[in-house]
């Protein structure tokens, strides 16, 4: 039998690039868009997760061609490679599309659909390998992937903008005096208030630094969040409007490049481009308002992009420029972690993988402390979002890494969560000590809170299928300000009140029409405690929020 001619080298290279782009590059691109990475990290991600897999596939194909020719073996190699790439893409896609993650992805239907599509692609390529249409189709996919990657790199600024360091915003027209107190807004992601408490007080033995700060602060013991996810919690806090009721994403901008991700964005309700929110960049954003009132505003986000275009941003892009290898390693581990199925059978493998938080949060917090100086802090608003004690729970109170407990072992999860919260207490202690060393503590305005509580323990002690426990919505809220009498407040604070409360503390005029009200207002509204999570609206069954929260109604995929 006459051997078929070998495909040219360029075709093998293009087909290999298309396969690598689908299986490795596309999920990485989605993550880059979501977190607005830049600089050397962006280049390294393309090299490590597209170029290297491409060269390995290319070398494997050419070796196979030399030994077996361009027959069924080549078709099987290409079919398995492309089918596996498609399976990986479908497996990782729900990580960036909450609509899928909450509705279809956890079901056996989605799993079956993934395998049917992947196996069907393999079978089709093998069965039709003699037809030019299969060869040409795979080549076309590779060519499209080349153009797609080039456009993606250009729109993410790889050829210029991505390498630019964060720039200090121009001084405001009405600069505040150097005697204005520094303002610190600290958000510890995923921290609930109940872990801090013992007999209604902060446990000074387990959380000494929270206890010390509470002695100089108003501690809102019944404070609650309104959302169980960061993407809606922060818009609600910063703008004073309900996050799920506004258009959140603007596809086709430099923050959300045109490509496969933006196409999926249109289908999935704008859930990919977390950094491109017009809502967050609105002039009504509290950070923008503070900038307009003469404050210098600096944002620190350990794992996300910044929330306002009017501030000095030290977010994911800044971090990726400073620590590119951290980003590459964390991305790869998150990539692998997303491929490992859930369940105790696979937990031994998952325990070997460090979560991205383990690479970034502690160092990022130290970078923030290094920027706080007595000479420059007055008149500055520091907005700090620390991705701790967010799950998985891998740190002890000293910041030493430990393997996380199994997901279904709730008692072990609770112990590990408490240890990680104690590490947050350690970081808070470093912050307070640094302010004292700089002579800033007494004059500073300090707000410490969280976007939501401990989500993995939502079912702790709950038997009702339509309820969650109060540890998820209940968050710490401590506010220290000159002239503010310390004590415990039992008012019904919800995060919809964050913006009017901050305006009140800073002595700025209140904004009319906001659904929330300052926590220090003389008259408080009578209202239910509301919490949106996974498209479901929960209502507290008691005014404190400590009892179970029950489902009121379904709201589709919002919240």
């Amino acid at each position: 039998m006459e051997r078929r001619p070998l495909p040219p080298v360029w075709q093998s290279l293009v087909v290999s690039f298309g396969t690598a782009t689908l299986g490795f590059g596309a999920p990485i691109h989605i993550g880059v868009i979501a977190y607005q990475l830049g600089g050397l990290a962006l280049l390294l991600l393309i090299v490590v997760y597209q170029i290297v897999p491409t060269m390995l596939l290319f070398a494997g194909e050419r070796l196979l061609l030399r030994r077996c020719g361009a027959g069924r073996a080549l078709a099987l190699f290409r079919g398995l490679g492309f089918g596996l790439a498609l399976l990986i893409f479908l497996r990782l896609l729900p990580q960036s599309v909450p609509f899928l993650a909450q509705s279809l992805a956890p079901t056996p239907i989605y799993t079956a659909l993934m395998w049917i599509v992947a196996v069907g692609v393999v079978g089709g390529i093998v069965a039709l390998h003699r037809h030019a249409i299969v060869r040409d189709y795979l080549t076309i996919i590779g060519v499209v992937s080349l153009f797609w990657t080039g456009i993606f790199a250009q729109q993410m600024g790889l050829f210029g903008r991505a390498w630019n360091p964060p720039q200090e915003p121009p001084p405001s027209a009405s600069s505040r005096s150097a005697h204005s107190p520094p303002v610190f807004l600290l958000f510890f992601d995923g921290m609930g208030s109940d872990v801090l408490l013992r007999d209604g007080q902060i446990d000074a033995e387990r959380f000494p630094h929270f206890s010390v700060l509470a002695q100089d602060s108003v501690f809102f013991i019944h404070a609650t969040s309104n959302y169980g996810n960061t993407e809606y919690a922060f818009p609600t806090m910063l703008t004073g409007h309900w996050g799920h009721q506004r258009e959140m994403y603007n596809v086709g901008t430099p923050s959300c490049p045109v490509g496969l991700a933006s196409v999926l964005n249109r289908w999935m309700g704008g859930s990919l481009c977390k950094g491109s929110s017009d809502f967050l960049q609105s002039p009504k954003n509290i950070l923008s308002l503070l900038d307009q009132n003469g404050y210098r505003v600096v944002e620190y986000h350990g794992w996300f992009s910044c929330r306002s275009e009017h501030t000095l941003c030290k977010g994911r892009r800044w971090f990726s420029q400073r620590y590119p290898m951290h980003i590459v390693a964390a991305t790869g581990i998150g990539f692998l972690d997303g491929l490992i199925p859930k369940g105790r059978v696979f937990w031994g493998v998952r325990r070997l993988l460090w979560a991205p938080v383990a690479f970034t949060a502690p160092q990022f917090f130290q970078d923030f402390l290094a920027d706080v100086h007595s000479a420059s802090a007055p008149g500055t608003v520091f907005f700090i979002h620390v991705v701790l004690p967010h799950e998985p729970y891998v740190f002890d109170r000293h910041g030493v890494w430990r393997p996380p407990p199994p997901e279904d072992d709730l008692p072990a999860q609770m112990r590990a969560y408490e240890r990680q919260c104690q590490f947050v207490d350690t970081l808070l202690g470093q912050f307070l000590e640094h302010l004292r060393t700089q002579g800033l503590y007494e004059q500073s305005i300090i707000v410490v809170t969280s976007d939501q509580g401990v989500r993995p323990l939502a079912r702790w002690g709950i038997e009702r299928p339509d309820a969650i426990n109060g540890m998820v919505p209940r968050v710490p809220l401590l506010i220290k300000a000159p002239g503010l009498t310390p004590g415990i407040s039992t008012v019904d604070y919800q995060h919809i009140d964050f913006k009017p409360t901050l305006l009140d503390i800073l002595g700025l005029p209140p904004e009319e029409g906001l659904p929330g009200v300052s926590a220090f207002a003389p008259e408080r509204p009578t209202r239910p405690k509301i919490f949106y999570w996974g498209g479901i609206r929960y209502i507290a069954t008691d005014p404190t929020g400590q009892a179970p929260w029950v489902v009121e109604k379904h709201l589709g995929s919002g919240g």
Side-chain angles (χ1 to χ4, degrees):
M1 180 181 295
E2 183 180 355
R3 290 173 62 108
R4 299 181 62 189
L6 300 184
V9 171
W10 69 266
Q11 187 192 92
S12 294
L13 190 60
V14 168
V15 170
S16 298
F17 186 80
T19 303
T21 299
L22 178 64
F24 298 92
I28 298 301
H29 290 180
I30 292 173
V32 169
I33 292 171
Y35 298 116
Q36 293 296 287
L37 303 182
L40 183 58
L42 176 57
L43 180 62
L44 289 175
L45 286 170
I46 292 176
V47 170
V48 173
Y49 299 109
Q50 278 187 269
I51 305 302
V52 172
T54 295
M55 299 313 297
L56 292 175
L57 288 170
F58 172 75
E61 177 169 314
R62 299 313 293 186
L63 180 62
L64 182 68
L65 287 171
R66 288 185 179 181
R67 295 194 173 186
C68 304
R72 188 175 296 273
L74 174 63
L76 183 61
F77 180 84
R78 287 185 173 181
L80 288 175
F82 198 76
L84 180 61
L86 187 59
L87 188 65
I88 292 173
F89 177 76
L90 293 175
R91 177 70 177 84
L92 293 176
L93 182 60
Q95 290 189 147
S96 301
V97 183
F99 171 77
L100 283 178
Q102 296 164 6
S103 57
L104 185 60
T107 66
I109 296 176
Y110 187 76
T111 301
L113 180 64
M114 288 193 309
W115 283 98
I116 290 172
V117 171
V119 172
V121 166
V122 175
I125 292 176
V126 173
L128 302 175
H129 72 281
R130 293 182 178 277
H131 297 268
I133 187 173
V134 173
R135 178 195 64 219
D136 295 340
Y137 182 70
L138 291 176
T139 304
I140 290 172
I141 291 177
V143 173
V144 170
S145 297
L146 286 169
F147 280 104
W148 171 18
T149 302
I151 293 173
F152 163 79
Q154 187 274 328
Q155 291 186 321
M156 293 308 298
L158 185 59
F159 307 123
R161 179 171 54 86
W163 301 91
N164 298 330
Q167 298 296 318
E168 181 81 28
S172 301
S174 56
S175 297
R176 295 183 73 87
S177 114
H179 300 292
S180 298
V183 181
F184 297 93
L185 308 177
L186 276 71
F187 296 85
F188 291 110
D189 198 310
M191 185 163 197
S193 59
D194 292 318
V195 69
L196 299 171
L197 302 177
R198 178 176 292 173
D199 300 326
Q201 300 281 342
I202 295 180
D203 185 352
E205 181 180 351
R206 293 181 300 134
F207 298 97
H209 304 297
F210 271 96
S211 178
V212 167
L213 179 60
Q215 294 174 16
D216 296 330
S217 307
V218 178
F219 177 30
F220 293 83
I221 197 169
H222 299 320
T224 55
S225 175
N226 293 116
Y227 290 94
N229 60 327
T230 302
E231 286 73 28
Y232 288 145
F234 273 112
T236 298
M237 288 185 280
L238 297 183
T239 68
H241 293 280
W242 296 104
H244 69 281
Q245 294 179 353
R246 300 292 296 273
E247 179 62 33
M248 296 286 291
Y249 302 96
N250 184 17
V251 179
T253 66
S255 300
C256 187
V258 176
L260 178 60
S262 62
V263 172
L264 293 171
N265 229 43
R266 296 180 186 275
W267 290 350
M268 301 304 179
S271 55
L272 296 179
C273 297
K274 300 175 185 177
S276 61
S277 170
D278 291 334
F279 186 22
L280 288 169
Q281 296 178 357
S282 163
K284 295 298 185 181
N285 182 320
I286 184 63
L287 300 181
S288 300
L289 287 177
L290 294 177
D291 174 75
Q292 294 167 22
N293 279 273
Y295 284 94
R296 171 180 176 264
V297 182
V298 187
E299 288 189 72
Y300 298 81
H301 288 278
W303 199 246
F304 297 97
S305 54
C306 289
R307 309 288 165 169
S308 174
E309 61 183 5
H310 303 285
T311 64
L312 174 60
C313 172
K314 293 194 175 182
R316 187 69 183 271
R317 170 166 288 182
W318 175 87
F319 192 91
S320 71
Q321 291 172 330
R322 184 163 182 174
Y323 303 103
M325 293 309 300
H326 281 63
I327 297 296
V328 173
T331 301
I333 287 178
F335 188 93
L336 293 175
D337 183 67
L339 295 177
I340 299 173
K342 294 185 177 181
R344 184 174 287 273
V345 175
F346 301 97
W347 191 251
V349 179
R350 300 191 72 180
R351 283 162 62 94
L352 299 176
L353 301 176
W354 285 33
V357 64
F359 285 92
T360 60
Q363 181 61 53
F364 196 74
F365 195 79
Q366 299 305 317
D367 290 333
F368 150 65
L369 292 183
D371 287 344
V372 178
H373 304 287
S374 57
S376 58
T380 301
V381 176
F382 296 89
F383 181 99
I384 309 99
H385 175 206
V386 185
V387 193
L388 282 173
H390 190 286
E391 69 271 8
Y393 308 123
V394 295
F395 291 117
D396 66 13
R397 70 178 306 158
H398 303 293
V400 177
W401 183 85
R402 296 185 178 188
E407 292 175 329
D408 59 353
D409 188 344
L410 292 185
Q413 284 270 356
M414 185 62 188
R415 292 191 296 271
Y417 168 67
E418 182 174 327
R419 287 196 300 266
Q420 193 144 296
C421 287
Q422 289 180 295
F423 180 44
V424 170
D425 183 78
T426 299
L427 296 178
L428 179 65
Q430 295 173 3
F431 164 70
L432 298 177
E433 179 60 29
H434 184 74
L435 291 190
R436 293 188 182 97
T437 301
Q438 293 291 321
L440 295 170
Y441 180 76
E442 296 298 332
Q443 62 178 294
S444 294
I445 295 173
I446 301 173
V447 180
V448 176
T449 187
S450 175
D451 52 349
Q452 80 271 326
V454 49
R455 293 179 299 192
L457 297 174
R459 301 294 301 170
W460 178 274
I462 299 295
E463 297 181 358
R464 294 180 54 173
D466 65 338
I468 58 174
N469 64 43
M471 290 193 295
V472 188
R474 283 171 53 83
V475 294
L477 177 65
L478 296 94
I479 300 178
K480 174 200 167 297
L484 195 61
T485 303
I488 292 179
S489 173
T490 59
V491 303
D492 169 34
Y493 168 92
Q494 302 177 41
H495 267 339
I496 196 71
D497 303 325
F498 183 86
K499 181 179 180 181
T501 300
L502 189 56
L503 290 173
D504 193 359
I505 296 170
L506 297 177
L508 296 175
E511 183 177 324
E512 299 295 331
L514 293 180
V517 63
S518 170
F520 299 102
E523 296 183 6
R524 301 290 302 163
T526 300
R527 59 187 177 175
K529 278 186 173 291
I530 299 172
F531 186 71
Y532 298 96
W533 187 24
I536 300 174
R537 172 169 163 156
Y538 293 89
I539 301 294
T541 57
D542 71 58
T544 70
Q546 291 177 302
W549 293 53
V550 297
V551 173
E552 183 186 63
K553 62 180 180 179
H554 291 264
L555 299 175
S557 62

